[in-house]
Amino acid sequence: MSTPGEYYRSLPPVSKTYGVACLMTTAAFYLGLYDPSSIALYYDDVIKRFQVWRLITNFFFLGPFSFPFAFRLIIIARYGVQLERGPFDKRTADFVWMFFFGALSLLVMAAVPFLWSRFMGVSLVFMIIYIWGREFPNAQVSIYGLVSLKGFYLPWAMLALDLIFGNPLMPDILGMVAGHLYYFLTVLHPLSGGKFIFKTPIWVHKLVAFWGEGATSERPSAA
């Protein structure tokens, strides 16, 4: 059995970085190091006060320490890692671009007043679930050990659970929209005969190369 340190070192770089960043953001909040409103997504502050960091920092706050927070970290550690080690193996730049595209899509949707949320990290995590379900449609998933279903239906099952528990559904739905848009552009459209034009930008490959983690090689996505 591996130690916690060995498990941590074994994690692929992108999922590990995002998960640790979310954990440290919530830990810093509990230590009183910042006010969550200072990193929340407020477009007035972004535009009028040039507080552009809000476009990024809002994705790292997944809520206070709680069961939902722990569950979201588990999603990153399980489904994000499986994506990074599976369909995105040796495609670190493409995986980073998936996060960038998802975040950008969510920021655009959040510009619509009734779709806006102070923190869009929950939606970004739900996007991971959606893309995982499309990449592993036949994988068997157990929900709390009570219900088994195929991976394709996991996002819908999670949506139903949030409905039962009384949690807001809009973050989940926005994450599914962002995930489907990414999957359509990178997989469904090319497979249907459309031209594959949604390539990972060169600057993302350079960023990964500068980071010195993972691989920057690229291949078209496949179902």
Side-chain angles (χ1 to χ4, degrees), residues 19-198:
V20 169
C22 293
L23 177 62
M24 296 301 293
T25 300
T26 295
F29 163 66
Y30 268 90
L31 293 175
L33 299 181
Y34 71 95
D35 184 340
S37 64
S38 66
I39 65 171
L41 179 62
Y42 293 117
Y43 279 113
D44 282 347
D45 289 333
V46 172
I47 297 172
K48 297 178 181 179
R49 299 176 179 84
F50 302 104
Q51 297 178 357
V52 294
W53 65 81
R54 295 177 181 273
L55 298 175
I56 300 173
T57 55
N58 80 92
F59 289 104
F60 295 108
F61 188 72
L62 300 180
F65 286 128
S66 60
F67 176 76
F69 170 82
F71 190 66
R72 290 159 191 158
L73 279 188
I74 291 173
I75 289 172
I76 298 170
R78 180 176 180 180
Y79 301 111
V81 166
Q82 287 184 13
L83 280 174
E84 196 168 354
R85 287 176 173 168
F88 290 92
D89 184 37
K90 302 187 186 306
R91 297 172 57 211
T92 304
D94 295 338
F95 196 55
V96 171
W97 175 237
M98 185 197 80
F99 273 87
F100 272 117
F101 175 82
L104 181 60
S105 300
L106 292 169
L107 289 174
V108 171
M109 287 186 276
V112 180
F114 69 90
L115 299 180
W116 171 83
S117 176
R118 292 197 308 158
F119 302 103
M120 305 294 288
V122 174
S123 297
L124 192 62
V125 171
F126 210 88
M127 185 192 75
I128 294 174
I129 296 178
Y130 183 87
I131 295 176
W132 182 91
R134 298 306 299 260
E135 293 284 1
F136 297 92
N138 296 314
Q140 290 298 313
V141 181
S142 177
I143 305 295
Y144 297 125
L146 300 175
V147 179
S148 294
L149 69 161
K150 290 186 176 182
F152 181 84
Y153 301 106
L154 179 61
W156 304 99
M158 301 299 296
L159 187 67
L161 284 176
D162 277 339
L163 177 63
I164 293 172
F165 292 148
N167 296 326
L169 298 183
M170 187 58 70
D172 300 355
I173 295 173
L174 294 181
M176 293 175 71
V177 171
H180 184 75
L181 183 59
Y182 174 84
Y183 193 76
F184 174 80
L185 291 172
T186 60
V187 178
L188 298 181
H189 181 62
L191 287 179
S192 66
K195 187 177 180 181
F196 183 73
I197 59 175
F198 196 73

